[in-house]
Amino acid sequence: MAPIPPGIHLLVSFNREQWYRALTFMLTFLLYTSFHLSRKPISIVKSELHKNCSAASELAAATGAVASSGGQEASFPSLHTEMECSWKPFDKSNYKQLLGAMDYSFLCAYAIGMYLSGIIGERLPIRLYLTVGMLSSGLFTCLFGLGYIYNIHSLGFYIFVQVANGLVQTTGWPSVVTCIGNWFGKGRRGLIMGLWNSHTSVGNILGSLIAGYWVSSNWGLSFIVPGLIIAAMGVICFLFLIEHPNDLKGIYTQNPSPGNSVSAKSWNGANGHPKVYLQYKDNKKQNYDTELLLPRDAVCVPAQPVVVVKSESEPSAISFMGALRIPGVVEFSLCLLFAKLVSYTFLFWLPLYITKAAHLDAKKAGDLSTLFDVGGIVGGILAGVISDKLGKRASTCAVMLLLAAPTLYGFSMISQLGLGPTVGMLLVCGGLVNGPYALITTAVSADLGTHKSLKGNARALSTVTAIIDGTGSVGAALGPLLAGVLSAGGWNQVFYMLMTADFLALLLLLRLVTKELSSSKSHPVSAIELKEH
C-alpha cells in the first residue's frame, strides 16, 4: 500500500469545526475585501475628473501639428468632446471642494447609518442582512460608473449615488465582525484579527489596480467592475455564510450519520414546561440519571443518549446606552474618530496628492498609493501581535500614534524629493497610521463586545462594533472634507491637520494607558477583562 501524502495527513488532522472556522475566516475576509474594493475607485478617478488642462491642451496642439504636417486631420478618440479635458461639473476652479463634497456625502451617510446598522443587524439574520447590503452596494457602485457611459454631468446625481452607497455599505462591518467574533474566542485574538483585518488594505490595493486599469480610457468601468464584484460576493455570502457555530447543530440533528440513525422523539412537558429533545453522541458511557429520564422503549432509545433541554429564552439585544456604559467603549470610539480621519484622508486623497507632488499620471499614482496599504497590512498584524504579547491594547495604539505624527511630517517633506524616498515613507506611514485603526476596529471591538459586564450576551457584539466604527466614521467623513478645503491653501495645511488628529487620538487614550501601566497584574490577552461567548 502506498504511503499517504503528507498534504492529506495535514488535511485530515483538522476536525469539522476547524474546517468551518477556516471557511468563516476566509469568507468574511473576502466579503469585506469586496467592500473596500468598491470604495477605492473614487480616489483613483479624481485625477481624471479634473485633469491638468494646460498639459492636455499642449498635448492636443502637438498632436494636431504632427497630424497636419502629415496631411491628416487630427482626431481624438473619445466618447466625449475633445475641447474639454475635465468632466463637468468638476472642471471649475472649486473642483477640490466638489470632490471633497462627494467624499463627505458618502462618509457622512456611512457614519449616520453605522449607528443604526448594528442595532438592526442584531435583530435580523446576519446572512440575509449582509447579502442585501452587498447587492445594493453593487447596484449603486455601478450607477456611478454609468454616469460616464450615459454622459451624466449632474452633481446631484453623483451625490445621491454616494449617499445611497454609504448607507447600504454600513451593513458590512458589524456583520462580519460579529461572525468572526462568534467563531473565534479570545485566544490570540490580536494576531487573528490583525491577519483578518488585512482585508481592508487588500481591498484598497485591488480596488486601486482595477480602477487604475481603466481610469484613463473609460473611467466608468473603474466603478462598474468593482460593483459587479461586490454583488457577486453578495450571492456567495447568501449561499455559504454561517453566522454562529450553533447554527450547524440543526444540520447534524436533522441529518444524523448512518451509524447513529435513530428517529428523534420529543415530548411536551407538563404544566407548560419546554420540550425535551434527544441528541445522540458517540463514545460516551450512558449515565444512570440519564437512563431514568428516558422512556424504556428499545426501538426509540439508543445505546448512548444525551438529553438536551431547549433553552426557554435567548439573550436580549443590548441597548445603545447600555453599550456606551461598557468600560472603554467611549474612549476607544473617540480615539478611532481621529485615527480614522487620518486613514480615510489618505484613502481618498493620496492618489491625487501623488499626482500633484510627484507629477505622475493617474494610473501610476494609483499604483504607487497601494504601498500605503501594504504598510497597513504589516502595521495591523504587528499591532495585534504586540498587544497579544503585552496584554495592553491601549498602550500599543498610543505608541503607534505617537510615532505616526512626526512620520507624517517627514512624508510631506520627503515626497518632494523623488520616487525612492516616497516609496519608503509610504510603507512606514501606512503601518503607523493603519495599525491603531486596525486594532481598535477588530480586536478591541471584539474585546469590548464580549466584556464581562455583558454576562456572555454575544448579541451585544454587533452594537458595540457599530458604535465604535460609527464614531470613527464621523472622523472618516470629516477628514476628506477638511482635506478638500485646506488643500486649496497648500498641501502642508492638510498634513498639519493630520498630525493634530493623531495627537488628539493619543490624548484620548491616556486614561486607559495609565490604567494599563499601573495595573499590578498583566493579563495574557488584554487589559480589558474578557469573557468567552
Side-chain angles (χ1 to χ4, degrees):
M1 182 180 294
I4 298 175
I8 301 300
H9 270 299
L10 177 65
L11 292 176
V12 298
S13 66
F14 296 104
N15 60 35
R16 186 165 56 198
E17 182 181 353
Q18 289 171 325
W19 278 113
Y20 279 118
R21 188 172 290 178
L23 171 66
T24 303
F25 183 94
M26 288 304 302
L27 183 56
T28 52
F29 181 95
L30 293 174
L31 292 179
Y32 211 71
T33 294
S34 67
F35 272 94
H36 264 266
L37 183 149
S38 67
R39 293 178 198 173
K40 187 64 178 178
I42 184 65
S43 66
I44 304 298
V45 173
K46 275 179 182 175
S47 55
E48 192 70 18
L49 294 177
H50 184 90
K51 294 181 180 179
N52 186 339
C53 292
S54 59
S57 299
E58 292 171 5
L59 178 63
T63 309
V66 171
S68 299
S69 64
Q72 299 174 355
E73 187 177 348
S75 62
F76 303 94
S78 172
L79 278 175
H80 308 287
T81 59
E82 294 89 344
M83 297 299 294
E84 299 170 355
C85 66
S86 296
W87 185 266
K88 290 184 178 180
F90 306 104
D91 56 343
K92 301 179 176 62
S93 59
N94 65 337
Y95 72 96
K96 289 182 179 178
Q97 287 79 1
L98 296 179
L99 293 172
M102 280 209 305
D103 295 339
Y104 182 74
S105 60
F106 173 88
L107 293 168
C108 189
Y110 186 86
I112 295 171
M114 185 60 75
Y115 288 110
L116 300 174
S117 180
I119 297 171
I120 296 170
E122 283 189 0
R123 291 159 174 81
L124 294 175
I126 289 177
R127 180 173 60 90
L128 299 180
Y129 184 56
L130 188 54
T131 298
V132 171
M134 296 183 78
L135 291 174
S136 302
S137 182
L139 170 65
F140 290 118
T141 304
C142 288
L143 274 179
F144 199 106
L146 290 175
Y148 176 86
I149 305 298
Y150 291 102
N151 209 16
I152 299 173
H153 296 278
S154 168
L155 180 64
F157 169 79
Y158 296 109
I159 294 290
F160 165 76
V161 171
Q162 287 287 82
V163 169
N165 202 11
L167 288 173
V168 297
Q169 286 232 345
T170 61
T171 59
W173 189 244
S175 300
V176 294
V177 171
T178 299
C179 285
I180 206 75
N182 288 339
W183 278 93
F184 291 89
K186 63 185 180 181
R188 293 185 299 174
R189 179 175 275 164
L191 171 61
I192 292 170
M193 291 290 198
L195 289 168
W196 178 75
N197 192 64
S198 62
H199 54 50
T200 299
S201 297
V202 172
N204 291 340
I205 292 170
L206 292 176
S208 297
L209 296 176
I210 292 172
Y213 185 80
W214 283 288
V215 64
S216 299
S217 58
N218 182 348
W219 64 256
L221 290 176
S222 297
F223 288 92
I224 293 172
V225 173
L228 294 176
I229 291 174
I230 190 174
M233 291 304 300
V235 175
I236 293 174
C237 169
F238 176 78
L239 295 175
F240 295 105
L241 184 65
I242 305 168
E243 301 173 20
H244 198 284
N246 291 339
D247 297 341
L248 293 172
K249 293 180 180 178
I251 297 176
Y252 298 110
T253 301
Q254 294 169 12
N255 303 298
S257 58
N260 273 341
S261 182
V262 181
S263 58
K265 197 168 184 176
S266 62
W267 300 271
N268 285 320
N271 300 323
H273 284 78
K275 292 182 179 180
V276 179
Y277 295 87
L278 293 185
Q279 192 176 9
Y280 310 122
K281 191 177 288 185
D282 291 331
N283 303 323
K284 300 285 183 185
K285 291 186 178 180
Q286 185 173 346
N287 129 350
Y288 179 70
D289 294 333
T290 304
E291 210 172 44
L292 292 176
L293 291 171
L294 296 171
R296 301 185 180 280
D297 184 336
V299 176
C300 295
V301 181
Q304 293 90 18
V306 175
V307 177
V308 178
V309 179
K310 186 179 178 181
S311 62
E312 296 188 18
S313 63
E314 294 183 358
S316 58
I318 192 171
S319 67
F320 184 86
M321 294 306 298
L324 286 178
R325 284 192 288 268
I326 298 172
V329 167
V330 173
E331 289 93 336
F332 276 114
S333 296
L334 293 175
C335 172
L336 185 63
L337 186 151
F338 293 104
K340 203 167 181 179
L341 181 152
V342 178
S343 181
Y344 266 65
T345 301
F346 271 91
L347 174 68
F348 282 91
W349 284 92
L350 182 58
L352 183 61
Y353 171 74
I354 294 174
T355 300
K356 304 299 181 184
H359 307 290
L360 299 175
D361 61 30
K363 186 180 185 308
K364 290 180 180 177
D367 292 343
L368 188 60
S369 70
T370 60
L371 293 174
F372 180 82
D373 295 297
V374 173
I377 294 174
V378 177
I381 295 172
L382 280 178
V385 172
I386 293 170
S387 65
D388 276 347
K389 192 74 175 175
L390 301 178
K392 293 177 172 59
R393 305 280 196 222
S395 301
T396 304
C397 290
V399 171
M400 298 187 84
L401 290 168
L402 183 62
L403 295 174
T407 304
L408 289 173
Y409 181 77
F411 174 69
S412 69
M413 297 293 103
I414 291 177
S415 59
Q416 311 287 338
L417 301 179
L419 195 60
T422 301
V423 168
M425 289 303 295
L426 276 173
L427 291 169
V428 176
C429 283
L432 294 175
V433 167
N434 283 341
Y437 163 41
L439 188 62
I440 294 172
T441 53
T442 54
V444 170
S445 295
D447 290 352
L448 296 172
T450 55
H451 192 269
K452 65 176 184 179
S453 63
L454 298 172
K455 299 178 181 178
N457 182 1
R459 296 188 67 188
L461 182 55
S462 181
T463 297
V464 170
T465 301
I467 289 174
I468 293 175
D469 199 53
T471 306
S473 297
V474 174
L478 289 174
L481 177 68
L482 291 174
V485 174
L486 294 174
S487 61
W491 288 103
N492 282 341
Q493 294 187 23
V494 176
F495 281 98
Y496 292 145
M497 179 264 290
L498 297 178
M499 288 185 283
T500 302
D502 265 334
F503 278 123
L504 290 174
L506 174 61
L507 289 175
L508 287 163
L509 285 182
L510 286 182
R511 189 183 74 83
L512 293 178
V513 171
T514 304
K515 186 177 179 182
E516 286 181 349
L517 295 178
S518 62
S519 176
S520 57
K521 184 178 180 182
S522 178
H523 293 265
V525 175
S526 173
I528 301 168
E529 293 187 42
L530 307 174
K531 185 176 182 68
E532 189 110 37
H533 49 295

